[in-house]
mmCIF file of all heavy atoms in Angstrom:
data_model
loop_
_atom_site.group_PDB
_atom_site.id
_atom_site.type_symbol
_atom_site.label_atom_id
_atom_site.label_comp_id
_atom_site.label_asym_id
_atom_site.label_seq_id
_atom_site.Cartn_x
_atom_site.Cartn_y
_atom_site.Cartn_z
ATOM 1 N N ALA A 363 -37.509 16.128 13.015
ATOM 2 C CA ALA A 363 -38.141 14.840 12.705
ATOM 3 C C ALA A 363 -38.095 13.912 13.914
ATOM 4 O O ALA A 363 -39.065 13.192 14.207
ATOM 5 C CB ALA A 363 -37.447 14.193 11.509
ATOM 6 N N TYR A 364 -36.993 13.915 14.641
ATOM 7 C CA TYR A 364 -36.876 13.073 15.843
ATOM 8 C C TYR A 364 -37.904 13.487 16.898
ATOM 9 O O TYR A 364 -38.551 12.631 17.522
ATOM 10 C CB TYR A 364 -35.467 13.184 16.424
ATOM 11 C CG TYR A 364 -35.301 12.469 17.749
ATOM 12 C CD1 TYR A 364 -35.023 11.107 17.797
ATOM 13 C CD2 TYR A 364 -35.430 13.160 18.956
ATOM 14 C CE1 TYR A 364 -34.884 10.449 19.003
ATOM 15 C CE2 TYR A 364 -35.301 12.500 20.163
ATOM 16 C CZ TYR A 364 -35.019 11.157 20.191
ATOM 17 O OH TYR A 364 -34.896 10.508 21.380
ATOM 18 N N LYS A 365 -38.062 14.782 17.107
ATOM 19 C CA LYS A 365 -39.020 15.250 18.107
ATOM 20 C C LYS A 365 -40.449 14.891 17.718
ATOM 21 O O LYS A 365 -41.268 14.557 18.576
ATOM 22 C CB LYS A 365 -38.883 16.765 18.275
ATOM 23 C CG LYS A 365 -37.595 17.196 18.971
ATOM 24 C CD LYS A 365 -37.505 18.707 19.104
ATOM 25 C CE LYS A 365 -36.237 19.110 19.838
ATOM 26 N NZ LYS A 365 -36.093 20.586 19.957
ATOM 27 N N LEU A 366 -40.743 14.951 16.426
ATOM 28 C CA LEU A 366 -42.086 14.595 15.971
ATOM 29 C C LEU A 366 -42.357 13.102 16.147
ATOM 30 O O LEU A 366 -43.392 12.701 16.696
ATOM 31 C CB LEU A 366 -42.263 14.977 14.501
ATOM 32 C CG LEU A 366 -42.471 16.457 14.176
ATOM 33 C CD1 LEU A 366 -42.383 16.685 12.675
ATOM 34 C CD2 LEU A 366 -43.821 16.938 14.695
ATOM 35 N N MET A 367 -41.420 12.279 15.695
ATOM 36 C CA MET A 367 -41.671 10.846 15.645
ATOM 37 C C MET A 367 -41.442 10.160 16.988
ATOM 38 O O MET A 367 -42.216 9.278 17.376
ATOM 39 C CB MET A 367 -40.792 10.207 14.572
ATOM 40 C CG MET A 367 -41.028 10.766 13.186
ATOM 41 S SD MET A 367 -39.984 10.036 11.900
ATOM 42 C CE MET A 367 -40.741 8.430 11.719
ATOM 43 N N ILE A 368 -40.401 10.545 17.706
ATOM 44 C CA ILE A 368 -40.086 9.885 18.974
ATOM 45 C C ILE A 368 -40.674 10.649 20.149
ATOM 46 O O ILE A 368 -41.288 10.062 21.044
ATOM 47 C CB ILE A 368 -38.563 9.738 19.154
ATOM 48 C CG1 ILE A 368 -37.952 9.035 17.931
ATOM 49 C CG2 ILE A 368 -38.255 8.981 20.434
ATOM 50 C CD1 ILE A 368 -38.514 7.663 17.656
ATOM 51 N N GLY A 369 -40.530 11.972 20.147
ATOM 52 C CA GLY A 369 -41.031 12.767 21.257
ATOM 53 C C GLY A 369 -42.538 12.871 21.282
ATOM 54 O O GLY A 369 -43.166 12.768 22.349
ATOM 55 N N GLN A 370 -43.171 13.071 20.116
ATOM 56 C CA GLN A 370 -44.616 13.247 20.051
ATOM 57 C C GLN A 370 -45.349 12.039 19.489
ATOM 58 O O GLN A 370 -46.576 12.049 19.394
ATOM 59 C CB GLN A 370 -44.943 14.475 19.192
ATOM 60 C CG GLN A 370 -44.311 15.761 19.683
ATOM 61 C CD GLN A 370 -44.594 16.935 18.764
ATOM 62 O OE1 GLN A 370 -45.517 16.917 17.949
ATOM 63 N NE2 GLN A 370 -43.786 17.978 18.866
ATOM 64 N N SER A 371 -44.633 11.011 19.078
ATOM 65 C CA SER A 371 -45.217 9.790 18.494
ATOM 66 C C SER A 371 -46.072 10.095 17.269
ATOM 67 O O SER A 371 -47.030 9.384 16.979
ATOM 68 C CB SER A 371 -46.059 9.042 19.548
ATOM 69 O OG SER A 371 -45.265 8.657 20.639
ATOM 70 N N ASN A 372 -45.713 11.154 16.548
ATOM 71 C CA ASN A 372 -46.452 11.553 15.347
ATOM 72 C C ASN A 372 -45.688 11.033 14.129
ATOM 73 O O ASN A 372 -44.901 11.747 13.509
ATOM 74 C CB ASN A 372 -46.581 13.073 15.293
ATOM 75 C CG ASN A 372 -47.546 13.536 14.211
ATOM 76 O OD1 ASN A 372 -47.905 12.773 13.311
ATOM 77 N ND2 ASN A 372 -47.961 14.777 14.280
ATOM 78 N N TYR A 373 -45.943 9.769 13.790
ATOM 79 C CA TYR A 373 -45.180 9.124 12.729
ATOM 80 C C TYR A 373 -45.649 9.547 11.342
ATOM 81 O O TYR A 373 -44.879 9.476 10.385
ATOM 82 C CB TYR A 373 -45.272 7.603 12.874
ATOM 83 C CG TYR A 373 -44.593 7.100 14.120
ATOM 84 C CD1 TYR A 373 -45.327 6.834 15.275
ATOM 85 C CD2 TYR A 373 -43.228 6.914 14.156
ATOM 86 C CE1 TYR A 373 -44.713 6.388 16.428
ATOM 87 C CE2 TYR A 373 -42.596 6.463 15.303
ATOM 88 C CZ TYR A 373 -43.341 6.206 16.436
ATOM 89 O OH TYR A 373 -42.724 5.776 17.582
ATOM 90 N N GLY A 374 -46.883 9.986 11.212
ATOM 91 C CA GLY A 374 -47.378 10.416 9.909
ATOM 92 C C GLY A 374 -46.699 11.685 9.442
ATOM 93 O O GLY A 374 -46.059 11.711 8.380
ATOM 94 N N TYR A 375 -46.824 12.749 10.224
ATOM 95 C CA TYR A 375 -46.210 14.020 9.836
ATOM 96 C C TYR A 375 -44.688 13.952 9.926
ATOM 97 O O TYR A 375 -43.982 14.560 9.118
ATOM 98 C CB TYR A 375 -46.734 15.142 10.732
ATOM 99 C CG TYR A 375 -46.318 16.512 10.275
ATOM 100 C CD1 TYR A 375 -46.616 16.967 8.998
ATOM 101 C CD2 TYR A 375 -45.613 17.361 11.121
ATOM 102 C CE1 TYR A 375 -46.225 18.222 8.572
ATOM 103 C CE2 TYR A 375 -45.224 18.621 10.698
ATOM 104 C CZ TYR A 375 -45.531 19.046 9.434
ATOM 105 O OH TYR A 375 -45.136 20.290 9.013
#
Side-chain angles (χ1 to χ4, degrees):
Y364 174 84
K365 289 180 178 178
L366 284 170
M367 301 179 74
I368 306 301
Q370 302 177 19
S371 299
N372 190 344
Y373 294 97
Y375 189 57

